[in-house]
Amino acid sequence: MRLFNTVALEIAARCNRRCKFCPVRYNKRPEEHIRWHDFCKALSELGLMGYTGRIELYIYNEPMREKAYLLECIATARHLAPKSCIMVATNGDYCKGPDDIMRMYASGLNQLLINCYSKGLYERRTPWIKALPSVISRERSVYSVLGWRQKAVQMLDKSEVDAFGAGVFGLINRAGNIPEFLDPTHEPVSRMCAKPFRMLNVNWRGEALICCNDYHGDVAYGNIADNSLLELWTHPVITEYRKRLLGKDRSLPLCRVCDCHSGAYSHNVSKPETEGAGAEVIEAIYESNLEKRNAKGNTQDS
């Protein structure tokens, strides 16, 4: 099984926006951060394996919401996993200009994506990008993993939902987690998905997720506090998903209501070498987590 090329470590729980195409709009999370000890443990493991892939410091959180904390996270990631490519995607609402951007690069950032979700923001923020030094590339897509010495920035105008486009910019139903905007699929689609083959996603609770579309952690199958990243990457639960996706089988929880068309990084797709957990085990995990969530109230992730 090939190693992940991206690790997403959700450094905090909250986002300030309520975009209709995101599960954040329909749910409420606590004011919490990833446990620092666990965050450093995961980064140290990446450093020890000489990891050269990408580290994303977000999933559904807004990373710049606490700028000093973000800078500490970036610097720690650079120190503990020095050969990695560190990425931040932000809505830019807490950014005041090029100085804030340069502080992130000075701390060790490689890639920055600024999404402009309101009309006029792209035009108002364009001078920020123009003011950055030429060593920060504007030509390369931030979705390409860079070398640890390289730097790139990209800003996208996403103020018109209908104009998002296709591919990595296409809208998806987030595994049924945005039902008021895009419906869950009624029948599983017969389509391969590369996400579980290339990304290891860890939410702010330290839980390993099947993919980034598991907003609630409904199929969370381990925790970085108790397991190494490699143990989580080869876990029987995510292995079962991979084996089924290789046959375009999306009958398991989350996948069966998801319309994700992910095919990016198809070269990361490889045949799992270990046994899967089996559908019954995964269904039991899903039902248990769903029961716990419903007991707290569907709008609470705490």
Side-chain angles (χ1 to χ4, degrees), residues 104-299:
M104 289 188 282
Y105 285 110
S107 296
L109 188 70
N110 297 103
Q111 297 175 306
L112 177 65
L113 174 62
I114 303 175
N115 291 309
C116 302
Y117 292 120
S118 298
K119 287 187 177 181
L121 285 181
Y122 183 85
E123 291 75 15
R124 291 200 293 272
R125 292 169 175 174
T126 296
W128 300 355
I129 308 303
K130 290 182 177 179
L132 299 177
S134 59
V135 69
I136 301 173
S137 171
R138 283 79 155 170
E139 305 300 324
R140 300 191 62 171
S141 168
V142 291
Y143 287 101
S144 299
V145 178
L146 300 182
W148 66 277
R149 289 188 178 93
Q150 297 174 302
K151 296 177 173 63
V153 64
Q154 190 171 16
M155 189 165 67
L156 300 175
D157 186 353
K158 291 188 175 182
S159 58
E160 295 289 345
V161 173
D162 294 336
F164 270 28
V168 294
F169 302 116
L171 290 173
I172 58 174
N173 69 11
R174 295 289 182 185
N177 283 312
I178 50 173
E180 295 179 37
F181 180 62
L182 289 176
D183 292 331
T185 58
H186 297 295
E187 295 290 337
V189 298
S190 179
R191 185 185 296 142
M192 171 62 183
C193 180
K195 283 184 180 291
F197 292 87
R198 70 174 191 86
M199 291 186 70
L200 178 59
N201 292 272
V202 177
N203 67 16
W204 90 97
R205 293 183 295 226
E207 297 168 333
L209 311 175
I210 295 304
C211 81
C212 58
N213 290 319
D214 190 1
Y215 174 82
H216 298 285
D218 285 338
V219 195
Y221 60 88
N223 198 292
I224 56 173
D226 308 310
N227 307 102
S228 71
L229 297 181
L230 290 179
E231 287 171 340
L232 295 171
W233 186 239
T234 56
H235 194 280
V237 167
I238 195 169
T239 296
E240 185 69 29
Y241 274 85
R242 292 184 186 123
K243 287 187 172 184
R244 289 174 179 264
L245 287 170
L246 282 172
K248 298 183 180 180
D249 177 357
R250 291 202 185 190
S251 60
L252 292 176
L254 298 185
C255 285
R256 59 183 171 229
V257 295
C258 186
D259 64 355
C260 183
H261 41 68
S262 171
Y265 298 98
S266 58
H267 56 274
N268 263 67
V269 175
S270 60
K271 187 175 181 179
E273 300 169 359
T274 55
E275 290 296 317
E280 290 184 2
V281 171
I282 292 171
E283 293 286 356
I285 292 172
Y286 176 70
E287 292 298 331
S288 175
N289 286 335
L290 199 61
E291 184 177 344
K292 292 175 184 176
R293 178 155 64 87
N294 288 336
K296 295 176 182 177
N298 280 328
T299 60

Side-chain angles (χ1 to χ4, degrees), residues 33-40 204-207 223-225:
H33 302 88
I34 195 169
R35 292 181 295 270
W36 190 253
H37 176 271
D38 297 342
F39 178 65
C40 293
W204 90 97
R205 293 183 295 226
E207 297 168 333
N223 198 292
I224 56 173

Side-chain angles (χ1 to χ4, degrees), residues 35-98:
R35 292 181 295 270
W36 190 253
H37 176 271
D38 297 342
F39 178 65
C40 293
K41 172 180 176 289
L43 292 171
S44 296
E45 291 174 13
L46 293 173
L48 288 172
M49 67 175 70
Y51 180 67
T52 58
R54 180 163 54 221
I55 299 172
E56 298 177 351
L57 300 179
Y58 62 93
I59 302 180
Y60 289 101
N61 58 306
E62 168 46 52
M64 289 195 75
R65 194 164 170 261
E66 298 172 82
K67 287 187 281 191
Y69 171 64
L70 173 60
L71 295 178
E72 185 176 9
C73 289
I74 294 172
T76 301
R78 175 56 62 215
H79 174 67
L80 295 177
K83 301 296 184 181
S84 64
C85 171
I86 303 169
M87 179 176 176
V88 164
T90 175
N91 58 38
D93 292 351
Y94 296 92
C95 186
K96 302 304 180 184

